[in-house]
Amino acid sequence: MATTVRRTVLTLPAAATGPENPLPALRPLDEAHVIDDRDRGDLPRDMARQLGHAPLATVLPVRILDGYGRERTPTDLDAIVIENERLRVTVLPGLGGRIHSLFHKPTGRDLVYTNPVLQPADFALNGAWFSGGIEWNIGATGHTTLSCAPVHAARVPAPDGGEMVRLWEWERLRDLPFQVDLWLPADSDFLHVGVRIRNPHEHPAPVYWWSNIAVEEGERTRVLAPADEAWRFGYERNLSRVPVPRTDGADHTYPLRGDFPADYFYEVPDGARRWIASLDAEGRGLVQTSTDLLRGRKLFVWGSGPGGRRWQEWLTEPGTPGYAEIQAGLARTQLEHVPLEPGGEFSWLESYGPLAADPAAVHGEDWDAARAEAEQRLAEALPRAEVDAAYEAWRRCADTEPGEILATGSGWGALEVRRGAHKLPGTPFPDSTLGEQQAPWLELLDQGAFPGQRGSAPPGPTLVSPHWRDMLETAPAEPLTEYHLGVAQWHAGDRAQAVRSWERGLGPAVSRWPLLRCLAVAAQESGQRDRAAGHYAEAFADLVVRRDGDEGEEWTAATAALGRETIESLLTAERAADARAVWEGLPAEVRGRGRFRLLEVRLLLAEGDRAAARALFEAGFEVADLREGAEILDEVWAGITDEPLPDAYNFRMRPRD
C-alpha cells in the first residue's frame, strides 16, 4: 500500500496536566543531571568544555506545569497516523509531537513501549512529563518543556513523491525554531526522521538534543551499541568511565541487572556507524540509527531495586511491563550543550525499525560478537549508505512549505518571527496563531508600552530575552512593566537591578502580591530567611484580598503555588504559627492534594506533633508532582522515626550515603 497520513483520535485514561503555575520560575529547578565542578578535571577536554557551556539558569520564560493529579479519566487525544504496508506510526501533536506507537505489522508487535495511560510526573524541565514512545528533547539538559505542549503539524511532500508529516515549534529556552519530519517510504520497514534546528539570531546559541525511545525491559532484553566504554551517571552527581558491558560485576546492558537507576552514555568511536538496539530473548526488537552528526547513544535503566520499581508503577499502572530508554543525542552525554553559530543550523536523519538477530550471539558472553551480529543484521536491513542517501533526499525537501495543517502549536513563534523578521522557509509561524498570552507583548512591540493590569488577575508570562528586556526598560514605568522587567533582569543575572525594579513597582501597585513574591524569592536566594518569610506572608495576605473568593482555575493555581511557597518559607524561618495560619487560609481542595498533605506533615513536625505527622503518612497520600531524584519523602520520614521508609513512599534513585 502507498503511505497514508490521516488524523484520528486516541482515547487513553489520562490525568489532566492542569493549569500553568502563574508564579515566574525564578529559581533553577533541581535538575538531577548535574555534576560537581571538582569532578570535571578528569574528563576529556571537549566534554568538559561543553559541560560548562551556557548552563541553564532558570526555565524562564516557560511556566511550570505542576497542577496535575493522579486521577485518570478516559480522554480523547488528537493523533496523526502515518501508515504503509509494514509500519503504523501514531503521533500526538498536542503532546510535544511524541510518537506514541511504532507498530510493525508483519510481526504484530509494537517496537516501542506504549504506555496504556497518560500520567504526568515531574520529570520535564518545567514539570509535567509522561513516559512511553519516542520523544524529541530540545532545549537544555532534561526532558523538554514541550513534553505536554502542542506543536505545529502539517502534511508535506515526501522525497519519494508521497507524503510525510512535519512537526515544528519555537523552543523558548534557547529561542530556536526546529522541525521534525516523519517520512515513511512506501513498503519500508523503517521510519525516517529528519531533524533541523536553526539559529536565526546574530549570536551563537547553545543547543541540546536527545531523541528518547522507551523500550520494554525484560529479564532477557539486552541493549547493544558500538562501544567498549561508557560514561556512567548514577544520580550521585558524577560521571565515571566504565567498561561495556560489565560494571561492578554486573552486565548493565541488561536493564534489570542493576539495583538503582543509571545512565550509560556510550563512547562511540569516531568513524563508527551510529546505532543502538534493544533486543529480546529471541534477538528481536528495535534498532535506531542515524547520520553521523547525531553522535551520542545512551541507555537509561530504572534498575531492579525498590525505588526504580516504584517509579515504574508511578508512571503507568500495576501489571504493565516496565521500560528502559535508549537515546541518541548531539553530544556524548546529556550534560553537554553544543554551540550553534549565528545563522547556522544542525540537521540530521534518524531511522527507526525492526531488527532480528541470532539470539545465541546477542546473548552470548562475547560482547564483540554480540554487537557485531547486531551491526551486521542492521547493515543487511538498512545499509549505512541508504541512510546517508535518505538524508540527502530529505534535505532537499526541508524548506518545502507545508500543505494541509494537521495541528496548531503555540503563538510564541509567530511573535518572535514578527519581532525579528526572521525568514524560516518550511516552518511558518503565522500571525493567526497569536493569542491572549502574546497580546500584551505584541502591544509592547508595536506601541512601545506594556498594557496595564487587567483587574487584579495574576500577571501573564514574562519574556526574558535581551530584545524584550530592552523594550521593557524603555517602556513607561508602570507597576506591571516593572514586574516583568524585574523578572527579565533576574533571568539575565542582574539581581540587584531586578530587586530595584520590583521595589519601584511596589509603591503604586494596586495588586502587590506578584511583586512581593518576587522580592521574597530574592531575599531567600540571598540567605535572608526572615525577610523572605515577611515578604511571603504579606504577599499571601494580599492575594487573599485580591482573589475575593474567586474560584476560577487561574486564581486557584496562584493560591496553591503562593501558599505552598509561603508555608515553606515560614517553616524555614521557624515561624510555625504563621505557617499554620496560611495553611488554614488555603481552600480545602488545595489542602487535600498530596503535595499539601506532605506539607502538613512538615508543619506538624515543626509544631512538635510527631504522632499526628506519622498518622498522616500511615493514612496514605500521593505527591503527584514528586520531582525526579527528590528525596523529600525520605527526609521527612526520618524526622518522624528511624524505621525504614514504607515501600509506597520509596522513590530513591541512588544508594544512601
Side-chain angles (χ1 to χ4, degrees), residues 220-480:
R220 293 283 291 166
T221 295
R222 193 177 203 187
V223 172
L224 300 105
D228 292 318
E229 293 183 307
W231 294 93
R232 182 186 184 276
F233 180 87
Y235 293 83
E236 297 95 347
R237 304 210 167 192
N238 63 64
L239 276 172
S240 57
R241 198 166 190 155
V242 299
V244 178
R246 302 188 72 83
T247 306
D248 297 331
D251 187 336
H252 71 253
T253 62
Y254 290 90
L256 287 172
R257 295 191 182 177
D259 293 330
F260 287 93
D263 297 324
Y264 294 92
F265 300 101
Y266 294 118
E267 188 70 67
V268 179
D270 290 341
R273 186 175 185 180
R274 273 64 167 137
W275 62 273
I276 190 167
S278 175
L279 305 180
D280 64 14
E282 298 176 350
R284 297 178 177 272
L286 171 77
V287 65
Q288 186 271 1
T289 187
S290 71
T291 48
D292 288 351
L293 183 67
L294 202 67
R295 66 174 297 186
R297 292 299 184 274
K298 170 195 164 181
L299 165 64
F300 167 74
V301 299
W302 284 107
S304 59
R309 294 299 94 195
R310 186 70 181 100
W311 273 118
Q312 292 269 32
E313 296 173 352
W314 189 253
L315 295 171
T316 181
E317 59 185 4
T320 302
Y323 75 96
E325 292 172 359
I326 57 176
Q327 303 188 23
L330 279 175
R332 277 184 288 193
T333 74
Q334 289 178 325
L335 288 73
E336 302 169 68
H337 299 86
V338 182
L340 177 58
E341 293 306 305
E345 66 176 53
F346 290 142
S347 65
W348 64 90
L349 186 118
E350 307 177 41
S351 299
Y352 296 81
L355 192 68
D358 178 6
V362 166
H363 298 289
E365 290 296 321
D366 187 335
W367 171 247
D368 289 340
R371 73 183 200 195
E373 165 67 11
E375 188 153 17
Q376 177 59 35
R377 296 295 173 247
L378 171 59
E380 295 168 0
L382 185 67
R384 186 175 186 176
E386 285 191 18
V387 176
D388 292 337
Y391 168 72
E392 294 300 332
W394 163 75
R395 192 64 188 81
R396 292 191 290 270
C397 299
D399 285 350
T400 302
E401 290 302 317
E404 179 192 358
I405 299 298
L406 301 174
T408 303
S410 77
W412 295 113
L415 182 66
E416 292 299 335
V417 166
R418 184 156 172 175
R419 183 208 60 79
H422 302 305
K423 304 299 182 184
L424 300 168
T427 54
F429 294 95
D431 283 353
S432 60
T433 60
L434 293 165
E436 182 181 354
Q437 288 192 333
Q438 292 82 42
W441 299 95
L442 191 59
E443 185 170 333
L444 175 64
L445 179 64
D446 292 342
Q447 306 297 328
F450 201 87
Q453 184 84 19
R454 52 184 180 91
S456 59
T462 303
L463 297 183
V464 297
S465 299
H467 38 263
W468 293 109
R469 188 172 72 247
D470 291 344
M471 281 186 267
L472 288 168
E473 287 177 345
T474 58
E478 300 296 331
L480 187 58

Side-chain angles (χ1 to χ4, degrees), residues 501-583:
S501 295
W502 292 326
E503 289 175 341
R504 279 197 307 269
L506 193 60
V510 175
S511 185
R512 294 165 51 84
W513 67 266
L515 292 154
L516 285 165
R517 184 265 176 177
C518 290
L519 290 169
V521 173
Q524 199 165 55
E525 290 294 296
S526 63
Q528 303 175 73
R529 66 179 191 178
D530 292 329
R531 184 179 180 85
H535 282 320
Y536 265 123
E538 189 179 353
F540 188 78
D542 185 67
L543 179 144
V544 171
V545 171
R546 301 302 159 198
R547 179 179 180 178
D548 192 25
D550 191 326
E551 299 299 325
E553 185 179 70
E554 188 177 32
W555 273 114
T556 300
T559 304
L562 184 59
R564 172 182 166 181
E565 289 187 11
T566 301
I567 293 171
E568 289 174 340
S569 178
L570 289 167
L571 289 176
T572 299
E574 300 180 354
R575 292 170 55 177
D578 293 332
R580 174 62 69 180
V582 173
W583 168 264

